[in-house]
Amino acid sequence: MNYLQDARQHVLQQIQTACEHAQRAPETVQLLAVSKTHPSESLREMYAAGQRAFGENYLQEALDKVEALQDLDIEWHFIGHVQRNKTKHLAEKFDWVHGVDRLIIAERLSNQRGNDQSALNICLQVNIDGQDSKDGCAPEEVAELVGQMSQLPKIKLRGLMVIPAPDNTAAFADAKALFDAVKDQHTHPEDWDTLSMGMSSDLEAAIAAGSTMVRVGTALFGARDYSQKG
Ligand SMILES: *Cc1c(COP(=O)(O)O)cnc(C)c1O
């Protein structure tokens, strides 16, 4: 096995073990491979190892990879901060957008999604532990936003996305409680199935609390080199 194949098997094993501890079926947790800063060839290699869902944070870099890898059947997730003037590319090129935290962003994504495309999957990002510098809506806003966003025609509102402060694993339980509490506000409650939380260092705690999608970068691809980025 090569390095990336090996790393992926290791992470899948970690997910399986965490699921066993939490008495959950392993297929209830999806692995999103976070590939920001890594070259297209690495994604191609990870794809050959069986990975289909990839998450990117930087729009231009992501668009270059979507172009370079268009021969592959990749499910593209955008997990970075969504800027209001950049929604068109996201609406057209991605399958999922996780960092949606304002109604205007969801409205733009819905309006800009192609008529021939299926509804865009989105997660509502919540600043679950009240961090100063973090994106995400306030927990108190979630119920109303779920009601509003779930009515948009070209949006499929799938759930919540959180990035608690490092080591604040208690916030995962808060996110799960909120996720369960607001389901009734959804116009199509059957779409509400995704709790996007947990990264390389805390995926076990996230799974124990109820995560359905862990976003893993470092444990799959190794450390990131940001020296090439502006
Ligand atoms: C980079 C990133 C990850 C992956 O983090 P690792 O610690 O490398 O696993 C997950 N989620 C988001 C939102 C990220 O920006």
Side-chain angles (χ1 to χ4, degrees), residues 2 14 22 35 40 57 72 77 85-86 115 140 154 159 210 223 227:
N2 66 32
Q14 250 185 307
S35 44
S40 300
N57 291 58
L72 306 182
H77 294 237
N85 59 343
K86 301 280 171 63
N115 280 331
E140 306 80 60
K154 296 298 279 183
S227 62

Side-chain angles (χ1 to χ4, degrees), residues 43-44 47 51-55 65-66 69-77 93 95:
L43 281 76
R44 195 175 280 282
Y47 183 94
Q51 184 64 32
R52 292 294 174 271
F54 289 85
K65 289 178 192 172
V66 169
L69 300 171
Q70 53 182 309
D71 56 312
L72 306 182
D73 186 23
I74 289 180
E75 183 179 272
W76 289 105
H77 294 237
K93 304 286 186 187
D95 301 295

